Amino acid sequence: MKNALILSGGGARAAYQVGVLKAVAELLPEGAPNPFRVICGTSAGAINAITLAAYDGSFARAVKNLESVWMELTPEQVYRCGWGAMAGSAGRVMLSLVNRGVGVGKPIALLDNSPLRDLIKHTINFEKIDRAIARGDLDAVCVTATGYQSGRSVCFYQAKAVTEDWIRYRRSGRRTLLNADHLMASSAIPTMFPATRIEFEYFGDGAVRQLAPLSPALHLGADRLFIVGVSANREQTQSRAPAKPTHSPSMAQIIGHLLNSAFIDSLESDIERLDRINKLVGLLPKESLDEGSNLRYIERQVISPSEELDMIAADNTASLPSSVRFLLRATGGTESGAGSTAASYLLFARPFVESLITLGYRDAMWQRADISQFLGVDESVSAGSVVL
């Protein structure tokens, strides 16, 4: 049985994944290696995935390294947020209007995320990925990006030699040597961060047009999925009526819904589809499940936030630089509720990050029995004490 770790996208929301992984590390025996043979990431989740895959040592040390990167993170390390840089980005957007909407010199976006490239190069040694695969510590790692010309979701992966490329409707898998370009492309949130050119095509955030977020892990040989989402707990039902609107949707609220559609809806729909297929497989006679049917039961464990991340973001917008706060305030991005969704993707600031790591750790520990069973771990021999 091969476990896969699937880390979804969501900008600064991906700090939640660190808390979940921190809990997983504590549930494993001391010094235990990475329990996930396949690691898949999208957007900011791709950066988390590669950081884990490219770290030598125990899983606990790898997670500790990832946590230290997030805890020391500032918005300035992800995107340029000075008034001059913001004005420059706005100027390039305006200049594109007289150039058929095309950026002059480089792709256009509201924010310049070139500092993120420097951070990636400083914190990740990509050469260690092949070493981990050669040692047998890892079978495959992948990141997903979306081609702006082809409209195809492309899974860029490194894996054992036996793994083959695949092509499906609007999605494909392509073997490559992963580098900073793939992470910059996968995390390029539409309109916010510029597209990145890889070979002959410009790529943007992997969550866009990702019709089947669970598919790459299955193509890479996994048959058990550990999925960490960044939306409010999908098991909860919305029983209360929506609040009566006081005004038409703000620009930030509209952008927030578009981002949620890209980053959250596809993952939740794919999990629902997986559950239906599992139920179907359980009803079929075993003799009908031959290799030609391509149907198999896929065990899954899903961890998602028990609290609304938008609300946490609304309480922490003051920690953003003044220029970013001005942009959000002007578009309605500092309002509680749906308006703060856009802010939650940009809040690479310690108060927000720390809150999400704490929430992820707590949510995972609430499900520690299920997680221990999924990983085949005896809770009595876990590395750390469980503190809620």
Side-chain angles (χ1 to χ4, degrees):
M1 304 295 281
K2 187 181 297 185
N3 296 335
L5 174 65
I6 298 178
L7 302 175
S8 61
R13 290 169 170 244
Y16 176 84
Q17 299 167 354
V18 181
V20 174
L21 295 171
K22 182 178 178 181
V24 171
E26 287 195 13
L27 293 174
L28 293 171
E30 186 174 357
N34 172 22
F36 304 106
R37 306 295 301 176
V38 177
I39 303 179
C40 301
T42 301
S43 193
I47 298 177
N48 287 343
I50 297 301
T51 303
L52 287 175
Y55 190 86
D56 290 331
S58 68
F59 184 71
R61 290 179 60 188
V63 173
K64 187 66 176 178
N65 172 66
L66 180 62
E67 182 184 14
S68 66
V69 172
W70 275 94
M71 291 296 287
E72 296 171 6
L73 198 61
T74 64
E76 291 82 0
Q77 291 177 292
V78 180
Y79 50 86
R80 300 190 185 281
C81 43
W83 287 101
M86 298 282 285
S89 295
R92 283 190 292 274
V93 172
M94 295 298 293
L95 186 60
S96 71
L97 299 180
V98 296
N99 191 41
R100 297 174 297 169
V102 178
V104 178
K106 59 181 180 179
I108 58 171
L110 295 176
L111 298 170
D112 176 2
N113 65 343
S114 55
L116 178 60
R117 182 181 291 274
D118 296 331
L119 178 66
I120 290 171
K121 290 182 176 180
H122 178 71
T123 57
I124 299 176
N125 183 349
F126 290 90
E127 294 180 357
K128 291 184 177 181
I129 297 175
D130 261 350
R131 298 177 196 171
I133 295 174
R135 288 195 307 267
D137 296 339
L138 186 70
D139 285 356
V141 60
C142 73
V143 303
T144 301
T146 302
Y148 278 110
Q149 281 70 39
S150 66
R152 183 181 294 275
S153 176
V154 180
C155 169
F156 296 99
Y157 70 91
Q158 279 183 241
K160 292 182 176 180
V162 295
T163 307
E164 297 182 354
D165 290 358
W166 65 89
I167 297 178
R168 297 293 185 271
Y169 177 72
R170 292 291 185 186
R171 52 192 171 93
S172 62
R174 185 187 308 175
R175 182 186 293 273
T176 189
L177 289 177
L178 295 168
N179 57 43
D181 285 342
H182 298 98
L183 295 186
M184 293 296 291
S186 182
S187 59
I189 300 175
T191 71
M192 292 188 183
F193 298 143
T196 298
R197 183 167 181 169
I198 300 176
E199 298 177 356
F200 306 109
E201 187 174 7
Y202 280 95
F203 286 85
D205 200 290
V208 179
R209 308 200 76 168
Q210 190 178 33
L211 302 178
L214 307 183
S215 172
L218 302 179
H219 280 289
L220 294 171
D223 41 34
R224 304 173 80 243
L225 308 180
F226 191 90
I227 307 161
V228 187
V230 293
S231 67
N233 195 330
R234 61 184 217 96
E235 305 295 342
Q236 295 177 348
T237 57
Q238 300 294 329
S239 57
R240 62 174 182 233
K244 184 178 180 180
T246 57
H247 53 71
S248 61
S250 66
M251 183 60 67
Q253 187 175 356
I254 294 172
I255 292 175
H257 279 292
L258 291 174
L259 293 177
N260 283 345
S261 176
F263 287 100
I264 296 172
D265 294 352
S266 293
L267 176 63
E268 294 182 345
S269 297
D270 211 20
I271 294 173
E272 185 178 17
R273 186 182 305 114
L274 174 65
D275 290 343
R276 288 200 303 269
I277 293 174
N278 280 343
K279 186 176 181 179
L280 173 63
V281 170
L283 295 173
L284 293 174
K286 291 185 178 181
E287 58 269 18
S288 66
L289 297 176
D290 55 20
E291 293 184 4
S293 69
N294 203 29
L295 285 175
R296 55 194 171 112
Y297 184 89
I298 304 295
E299 186 177 350
R300 57 87 167 173
Q301 177 70 45
V302 181
I303 309 293
S304 53
S306 59
E307 298 180 15
E308 292 284 352
L309 303 191
D310 296 352
M311 300 301 181
I312 301 175
D315 294 336
N316 288 280
T317 53
S319 58
L320 284 168
S322 57
S323 58
V324 181
R325 290 202 310 272
F326 173 81
L327 175 63
L328 291 172
R329 189 182 304 113
T331 57
T334 56
E335 297 181 8
S336 297
S340 58
T341 299
S344 71
Y345 288 87
L346 297 175
L347 255 166
F348 296 94
R350 180 155 186 162
F352 184 63
V353 166
E354 194 167 15
S355 296
L356 265 56
I357 292 177
T358 300
L359 178 63
Y361 177 86
R362 187 184 69 196
D363 288 348
M365 283 304 186
W366 278 345
Q367 300 186 53
R368 61 184 180 272
D370 292 337
I371 295 174
S372 296
Q373 182 179 11
F374 181 89
L375 296 176
V377 173
D378 184 351
E379 288 187 68
S380 63
V381 296
S382 60
S385 59
V386 177
V387 179
L388 298 183

